[in-house]
Amino acid sequence: MNHEDIQKQLREAFKIEAEERIASMFANLTELEKCTDPDNRSRMLEIVYREAHSLKGAARSVNILAVESACQEMEELFSLLKNGKIDFTPDLFDTLHHAVGMVETYIATPDSDQHSIKTAIDALTGTLSGFKDTRSSKPQSAPQPMNELPHKNDEFQPAAPTKTFVKNLSTPDFIRPQPSEERPAGSKSNTPPFMRKPHPMPSNRLSDTVRISTAKLDALLLKAEELITVKQTLNQHLTEIKETLHNFRHWKKISEKSKKGLREISHLAQASPKLNRFFQLYDFNHTQIEETNTRMNDLTKSMEHSSRSLGAMVDDLLEEMKKTSLLPFSTLFSPLPRMIRDISRETGKEIELEMTGGDVEIDKRILEGLKDPLIHLIRNAVDHGIESPDERTRCKKSPWGTIRLSVVQPESNKVAIELSDDGKGIDIAAVKNKALEAGCISPQVAAGLSEAETLALIWLSGISTSTMITEISGRGLGMAIVQEHVENLNGLISISTAPGRGTTFKIEMPVSLATFRGMIVSAAGQEFILPVAHVEHTLRIRPDTIKTAGNKSIIPINGQAVSLVNLADILGLPQPSLPATQGNRRDNATLSAAVLGSGKKRIACIIDSIASEQDVLVKNLGKQLKRIPNISGATILGNGKVVPILNVNDIIASAAGKSLPAVMAEAIETFKNKVKKSVLIVEDSFTSRTLLKNILEASGYLITTAIDGEDGYHQFSSKSFDAVISDVEMPKLNGFELTRKIREHETLGAIPVILITSLDSREDKEKGMDVGADAYIVKSSFDQSNLLEVLERLI
Amino acid sequence: MNEEKQAAGGIAEKILKTRADQLARTNHSQKPRGKQITVLEFRLAHEIYAIELTHIRTVHPLKEKKPTHIPGTPGFIKGIINLRGEIISVVDLKHFFNLLDQDSGHSSQVIILSSKDMEFGILSDAIHGVTEFQTADIHDSLPTLAGVQLEYIKGVTANGVVILDDEKLLNDKKMIISL
């Protein structure tokens, strides 16, 4: 996206905003004029004042100077009115109305035709200014600018009355002869004809964009998202139908077998008509079964096909819908250089802003939510980070500071924003002192804080602002709010600083708000969803590795001590004993846990089990449940089940101070002596092998892997296993042959064998059974719980 | 969405409508005295309650799916249900009213109450149907009712049906859970 496009986009956005503000100003001005009650007056005055102020800011950001200065004047007038410095006069109202109308016309006019109006608006600005200067006295200049309107279209007169606003014009475009039909004939009326009339739009410009209210677009997006549930439900049904079909085939087989048996006694039928009828009926039945079987086969196939194409369509539709709500970062970037320039001028610093990644797209809602935090961080960087040129020279740095803002998309669904400055960095000791002063931490705590932990104090409200209050950043948001904003959008923010070398903020955001990858876990027998983005990894914990430090339980993860809590405990769910002892896997010698991370904080959370991972569509909890600790929303699974989504930030916060209760500690003791079941995985694909290994290890099995059938058989015969899980299609020795060989083994032949395959054909399934496999799982219908269930049943 | 609601709520509405029509007919013969209100009668524990139709969005059968419990919520929040793709929280009035007899597990229907700013379902053990009452027949209060309930009650009819105050329930701050 080039600069011009960005400008265009910005202007479009500005137009929409301006329209709203102008409408509000018109309405309130009219009311204000009629109103005599001082309370109402001041209320409405406040509204128009704020509207003028906001419009001014917006105009400045898109560099429409004429509007900006007109609004500036109006704002000042309103301010004087508010303070009672000047009085309401009809003239004043006329001029204000006129000015608002002029701004409206200006904005609605295509850029190429704006010169005429620009001049008019500048003239008005002068008039407005006149009111201000004359204060409560009747402004003699009031009608004058109106007169100016017409004659500036004939030729621009750089005469005294217009001089005041010439300075606002960046280009002397207006000196060019103006197209006369655009301008009103000379009129003494306070409302020139072109003010209220919409500017004639060139009719040949058919727009290739349409304005749709975000509410409509959002509703559409929600509808599209709802289709995910439909898709999942359909898949669920398909699985059920396949199961039925499977049972039906079994029935058919039985029928075939008994038919063979009946044939042997068919000669009896000739003797007895009744028996004959039975045989006829039986034949009829068998034919029906065969026909129905064929029909069901066909139906299942076509349903599979439909389900696949529907699924693809739903995914495509959702993808396209999501794109409609994606905007490039450049829309956020574009006002920044100006902002930096302004602030650096105010603070007397020299700053260079480097921005990269403006073409990375992100959900509009996220972009909007990021605006305030980012602006705050940039202001902070300028104000507190970058030193003055003198100081920089003293520190042997280049006199101008650099602020880098880079946006990258490391993963398709993730955006990483990095904002760094090369300033003086954050004085960690000062932060600690401020925190102590503010009473956020006790001296004892302060003494034990590491540098990183001290730096994290900056996120506490009341600290950052008080350390750094100045003209610029003091009025902004506190760092606490920055963090809250980011985390509310499911993002993560972290900070690092190096004294004398600068500060870096890293923000990670999802590209889209609506769906995310969720991991279905259970705690105290209830299912919950953990956002995968916050799950660093899952692991099995051997109870003997759990240490206690003070009243906290700690486990070492990659050499780092991470505090360990029980999810059920955090959620306040009743849990009499250890989670895993409640489940079926009584033989587990380990506990399932997920390492949750938010920013730099991480904890390990004990859970009952991990079921599967899937795309999750976030829904809010309805109008009644406004905010529930630890729960951020809910989702509806394919089978219609409602599952709450966990809020990891909350959980980490709740975890502070919680530890494993004594009852768990005891249970851990009794738990330590159990033995793990060992499973051999034979699979030629590296990915599948690793996946299986991870799933099973997470569920507490001891895993050995083999890369093909031959290797598998070798492993099998050299060690003792509790079960074998094998792929079917493999080089050297396939799954069927391996199973047959295992079954032929003298001593170990009775071991449970589970075949996992992508071949979903009846013949193969039967073949699998024939060679003696205990279970046959088709990969397409493969989900972890299925395999774990089968495995549990067999061992 | 609207079509969906209509389709699913259709059956319940149809039944309710027929009943309402029947009741309307019988009432026709009587002389109307004062204002008439149309209510949905339902059983909660051992009492018959009624609530005006004005704010009832639909009645949703619970079937085999129990509401999903949300940890950390007060006891009267039974959980959340899936109402045709929408999440709706469900309130157990037995709990909310501190009714001593709290034999749960028999709740069969959820009555969805809805206003502009609030929406939740209330559990009911059984739906009795739609009835009309003359406001004149509703007595202000019954001394035997527990104190906590009184503020949520519009009155009691001659045959002991407790008319709940739907507006009060929907606007009550205690109903909003923001922890």
Side-chain angles (χ1 to χ4, degrees):
Chain A
M1 178 168 286
N2 61 33
H3 185 70
E4 244 178 82
D5 285 343
I6 297 164
Q7 278 303 324
K8 218 165 132 195
Q9 221 169 12
L10 268 176
R11 292 220 172 192
E12 285 307 317
F14 167 70
K15 271 186 189 175
I16 293 163
E17 188 192 345
E19 267 173 42
E20 285 162 13
R21 301 216 181 278
I22 287 167
S24 157
M25 279 169 85
F26 265 136
N28 282 292
L29 266 180
T30 319
E31 278 297 309
L32 192 60
E33 201 170 0
K34 283 189 231 152
C35 180
T36 46
D37 175 45
D39 280 350
N40 274 339
R41 264 200 168 186
S42 65
R43 186 176 53 80
M44 281 178 288
L45 201 52
E46 184 62 35
I47 296 173
V48 282
Y49 169 73
R50 263 194 258 128
E51 295 289 13
H53 176 80
S54 306
L55 188 56
K56 178 187 75 177
R60 184 197 296 150
S61 62
V62 290
N63 219 15
I64 304 183
L65 297 174
V67 173
E68 188 198 334
S69 44
C71 290
Q72 168 80 46
E73 294 299 334
M74 280 194 267
E75 190 194 341
E76 279 172 21
L77 272 183
F78 287 134
S79 169
L80 291 170
L81 281 168
K82 263 175 37 173
N83 300 329
K85 297 256 173 65
I86 55 172
D87 295 329
F88 294 94
T89 61
D91 268 346
L92 178 64
F93 274 114
D94 281 345
T95 316
L96 282 170
H97 263 294
H98 188 174
V100 178
M102 194 70 81
V103 169
E104 187 184 31
T105 319
Y106 186 86
I107 292 164
T109 309
D111 295 9
S112 53
D113 297 329
Q114 268 173 358
H115 318 302
S116 57
I117 305 160
K118 191 172 191 174
T119 335
I121 213 165
D122 289 329
L124 250 172
T125 309
T127 318
L128 287 168
S129 192
F131 271 98
K132 195 172 62 187
D133 295 333
T134 49
R135 296 291 147 99
S136 46
S137 74
K138 194 174 159 66
Q140 74 277 57
S141 61
Q144 197 181 352
M146 309 305 163
N147 294 338
E148 255 161 34
L149 293 175
H151 70 136
K152 57 123 196 334
N153 45 19
D154 298 312
E155 54 194 312
F156 182 73
Q157 295 181 338
T162 50
K163 215 174 165 184
T164 47
F165 47 81
V166 167
K167 65 173 193 287
N168 290 325
L169 302 173
S170 49
T171 48
D173 285 349
F174 54 90
I175 295 171
R176 271 187 281 159
Q178 307 295 318
S180 58
E181 76 276 11
E182 295 292 338
R183 277 152 292 129
S187 160
K188 298 242 166 190
S189 131
N190 282 341
T191 49
F194 74 97
M195 178 192 117
R196 287 312 188 106
K197 263 189 249 157
H199 193 85
M201 297 290 279
S203 54
N204 59 351
R205 197 182 126 249
L206 261 179
S207 169
D208 57 350
T209 57
V210 281
R211 246 181 88 194
I212 302 175
S213 75
T214 43
K216 274 187 190 165
L217 213 52
D218 290 349
L220 217 52
L221 182 62
L222 280 179
K223 279 278 158 311
E225 283 168 350
E226 212 99 316
L227 285 174
I228 296 178
T229 321
V230 177
K231 182 183 117 183
Q232 287 173 345
T233 315
L234 201 62
N235 279 333
Q236 183 94 13
H237 288 168
L238 195 60
T239 316
E240 282 161 19
I241 285 172
K242 279 185 187 162
E243 274 167 23
T244 316
L245 188 62
H246 181 72
N247 293 340
F248 199 86
R249 280 172 184 155
H250 189 63
W251 182 14
K252 192 183 135 208
K253 234 173 153 181
I254 292 171
S255 178
E256 263 162 9
K257 246 186 204 164
S258 49
K259 202 179 172 194
K260 271 182 212 157
L262 281 173
R263 205 175 295 145
E264 288 167 16
I265 53 159
S266 62
H267 59 276
L268 294 173
Q270 281 139 16
S272 157
K274 274 188 184 166
L275 207 53
N276 197 25
R277 278 201 60 195
F278 168 76
F279 274 105
Q280 277 171 6
L281 186 66
Y282 191 86
D283 278 344
F284 173 74
N285 256 341
H286 188 72
T287 324
Q288 285 297 310
I289 289 172
E290 275 185 335
E291 274 174 16
T292 314
N293 187 45
T294 319
R295 249 184 80 74
M296 270 185 78
N297 254 334
D298 293 348
L299 279 175
T300 313
K301 277 209 184 89
S302 43
M303 193 172 160
E304 245 177 353
H305 179 75
S306 310
S307 162
R308 250 200 310 275
S309 40
L310 178 87
M313 268 151 89
V314 167
D315 291 346
D316 284 354
L317 177 67
L318 194 60
E319 203 54 39
E320 292 300 317
M321 270 314 297
K322 275 187 189 166
K323 275 185 202 156
T324 62
S325 54
L326 292 186
L327 279 182
F329 264 91
S330 51
T331 52
L332 185 62
F333 281 2
S334 29
L336 298 180
R338 200 193 158 86
M339 193 186 91
I340 292 274
R341 204 188 63 205
D342 289 350
I343 312 172
S344 47
R345 220 188 288 133
E346 278 172 48
T347 51
K349 293 173 182 175
E350 283 175 44
I351 291 155
E352 199 180 329
L353 177 66
E354 287 180 18
M355 299 189 292
T356 52
D359 53 346
V360 175
E361 289 190 323
I362 194 166
D363 195 299
K364 182 170 73 43
R365 293 163 284 186
I366 298 177
L367 200 61
E368 278 162 9
L370 272 178
K371 194 177 148 199
D372 285 348
L374 214 53
I375 286 182
H376 181 73
L377 291 178
I378 292 175
R379 280 175 177 267
N380 266 350
V382 176
D383 206 24
H384 314 298
I386 307 282
E387 313 89 330
S388 64
D390 293 350
E391 203 180 329
R392 287 185 71 89
T393 322
R394 262 203 307 282
C395 302
K396 297 195 177 95
K397 287 182 181 179
S398 65
W400 62 90
T402 309
I403 292 177
R404 277 187 193 84
L405 178 59
S406 81
V407 179
V408 288
Q409 196 163 1
E411 287 167 45
S412 64
N413 56 354
K414 216 184 235 178
V415 166
I417 305 155
E418 200 176 295
L419 178 75
S420 58
D421 64 64
D422 63 350
K424 57 176 174 276
I426 293 172
D427 184 347
I428 289 175
V431 171
K432 192 183 269 187
N433 287 339
K434 284 289 171 185
L436 277 168
E437 271 174 40
C440 297
I441 49 169
S442 64
Q444 295 97 304
V445 173
L449 285 180
S450 70
E451 277 202 358
E453 282 166 331
T454 313
L455 196 56
L457 289 172
I458 214 158
W459 302 116
L460 295 174
S461 60
I463 291 191
S464 53
T465 44
S466 60
T467 359
M468 315 179 174
I469 199 155
T470 69
E471 192 60 18
I472 286 165
S473 53
R475 340 176 254 218
L477 308 140
M479 295 295 264
I481 304 177
V482 168
Q483 189 186 33
E484 200 182 308
H485 272 227
V486 170
E487 291 187 348
N488 280 348
L489 295 163
N490 271 326
L492 296 172
I493 184 163
S494 61
I495 178 175
S496 59
T497 188
R501 274 183 294 147
T503 308
T504 302
F505 288 93
K506 282 188 182 145
I507 304 175
E508 256 183 36
M509 302 299 296
V511 167
S512 165
L513 270 185
T515 57
F516 62 89
R517 291 296 286 173
M519 189 184 270
I520 304 178
V521 301
S522 61
Q526 201 189 329
E527 284 187 327
F528 293 96
I529 291 192
L530 275 172
V532 170
H534 288 283
V535 180
E536 284 183 8
H537 58 275
T538 57
L539 74 166
R540 299 291 308 184
I541 299 169
R542 289 202 1 250
D544 55 355
T545 58
I546 301 174
K547 307 236 157 38
T548 47
N551 59 349
K552 279 188 173 178
S553 306
I554 282 169
I555 51 156
I557 294 174
N558 300 335
Q560 221 187 331
V562 174
S563 65
L564 178 71
V565 290
N566 185 1
L567 183 58
D569 192 33
I570 297 255
L571 296 175
L573 295 169
Q575 180 134 47
S577 63
L578 267 177
T581 57
Q582 287 194 329
N584 300 329
R585 293 189 293 279
R586 277 174 300 274
D587 300 329
N588 275 352
T590 55
L591 297 160
S592 281
V595 179
L596 308 179
S598 171
K600 284 196 167 170
K601 294 164 273 185
R602 43 182 214 159
I603 56 164
C605 229
I606 297 180
I607 47 192
D608 292 2
S609 63
I610 300 159
S612 61
E613 212 183 285
Q614 60 171 245
D615 278 329
V616 170
L617 181 57
V618 192
K619 304 208 176 234
N620 65 35
L621 296 172
K623 288 178 179 167
Q624 184 178 28
L625 308 180
K626 300 271 187 231
R627 198 194 130 71
I628 308 294
N630 303 323
I631 310 282
S632 62
T635 193
I636 298 169
L637 298 184
N639 55 12
K641 215 195 268 177
V642 184
V643 182
I645 299 168
L646 296 174
N647 179 337
V648 171
N649 295 323
D650 268 18
I651 287 180
I652 291 178
S654 312
K658 287 233 180 186
S659 61
L660 288 174
V663 57
M664 278 201 65
E666 261 172 51
I668 287 169
E669 285 305 312
T670 59
F671 213 59
K672 285 181 179 174
N673 305 320
K674 305 258 169 81
V675 189
K676 273 191 188 181
K677 294 281 181 187
S678 65
V679 175
L680 173 64
I681 295 174
V682 191
E683 165 71 78
D684 60 325
S685 146
F686 173 74
T687 321
S688 305
R689 197 164 62 227
T690 318
L691 177 75
L692 277 171
K693 184 171 184 277
N694 286 346
I695 293 172
L696 294 177
E697 276 184 346
S699 295
Y701 293 98
L702 202 65
I703 300 301
T704 309
T705 55
I707 54 164
D708 59 45
E710 231 175 69
D711 181 28
Y713 188 74
H714 176 72
Q715 300 260 16
F716 161 77
S717 38
S718 58
K719 248 198 266 175
S720 140
F721 293 99
D722 294 299
V724 175
I725 297 176
S726 171
D727 188 18
V728 171
E729 292 152 306
M730 285 182 300
K732 292 183 191 168
L733 195 66
N734 74 27
F736 298 133
E737 290 158 348
L738 174 67
T739 313
R740 187 173 291 129
K741 278 190 86 169
I742 288 175
R743 286 290 174 255
E744 284 163 3
H745 196 279
E746 280 170 38
T747 49
L748 304 168
I751 188 173
V753 176
I754 300 172
L755 288 176
I756 296 183
T757 178
S758 50
L759 305 167
D760 184 18
S761 80
R762 183 172 52 93
E763 288 74 23
D764 280 319
K765 214 173 263 188
E766 279 164 7
K767 197 170 170 191
M769 295 304 154
D770 284 348
V771 295
D774 294 275
Y776 190 91
I777 298 175
V778 181
K779 269 179 193 164
S780 60
S781 68
F782 176 79
D783 87 64
Q784 306 186 4
S785 56
N786 192 1
L787 172 68
L788 293 173
E789 208 181 288
V790 169
L791 195 57
E792 245 163 56
R793 223 174 41 219
L794 291 175
I795 295 187
Chain B
M1 180 60 89
N2 276 334
E3 279 160 23
E4 231 180 87
K5 278 178 196 164
Q6 275 164 15
I11 301 161
E13 269 168 33
K14 216 170 177 178
I15 296 168
L16 296 181
K17 180 117 185 21
T18 337
R19 288 182 192 165
D21 285 347
Q22 281 167 0
L23 288 157
R25 261 201 299 283
T26 51
N27 265 359
H28 223 260
S29 55
Q30 297 166 3
K31 281 208 170 152
R33 300 160 287 145
K35 224 181 112 202
Q36 218 172 31
I37 57 165
T38 315
V39 296
L40 179 74
E41 272 188 25
F42 61 97
R43 189 169 59 79
L44 196 65
H46 299 304
E47 284 182 272
I48 307 294
Y49 288 83
I51 199 154
E52 266 196 83
L53 291 191
T54 336
H55 290 294
I56 297 181
R57 183 176 139 190
T58 185
V59 176
H60 186 72
L62 268 186
K63 291 184 217 144
E64 77 281 7
K65 274 178 193 129
K66 277 183 152 186
T68 302
H69 171 64
I70 299 290
T73 50
F76 68 85
I77 300 287
K78 203 71 194 164
I80 51 176
I81 55 163
N82 167 12
L83 183 77
R84 297 184 283 280
E86 216 180 312
I87 305 275
I88 304 270
S89 47
V90 176
V91 169
D92 186 352
L93 286 181
K94 279 182 272 189
H95 211 298
F96 190 68
F97 289 163
N98 288 330
L99 289 186
L100 291 174
D101 173 27
Q102 287 179 9
D103 58 334
S104 52
H106 295 94
S107 304
S108 59
Q109 309 273 335
V110 180
I111 303 164
I112 313 290
L113 293 183
S114 176
S115 71
K116 194 177 142 277
D117 303 314
M118 188 55 151
E119 185 162 59
F120 55 81
I122 51 179
L123 284 177
S124 95
D125 295 346
I127 300 284
H128 284 199
V130 175
T131 328
E132 291 194 341
F133 285 112
Q134 303 293 334
T135 42
D137 289 344
I138 300 167
H139 307 291
D140 277 355
S141 66
L142 204 67
T144 52
L145 290 169
V148 66
Q149 300 183 41
L150 282 176
E151 50 181 320
Y152 303 101
I153 287 168
K154 274 186 180 167
V156 181
T157 66
N159 45 5
V161 177
V162 181
I163 316 268
L164 293 171
D165 189 341
D166 49 351
E167 299 267 348
K168 173 74 187 159
L169 282 170
L170 281 165
N171 293 323
D172 192 8
K173 284 226 165 61
K174 266 183 256 166
M175 276 291 180
I176 301 173
I177 313 299
S178 180
L179 302 163

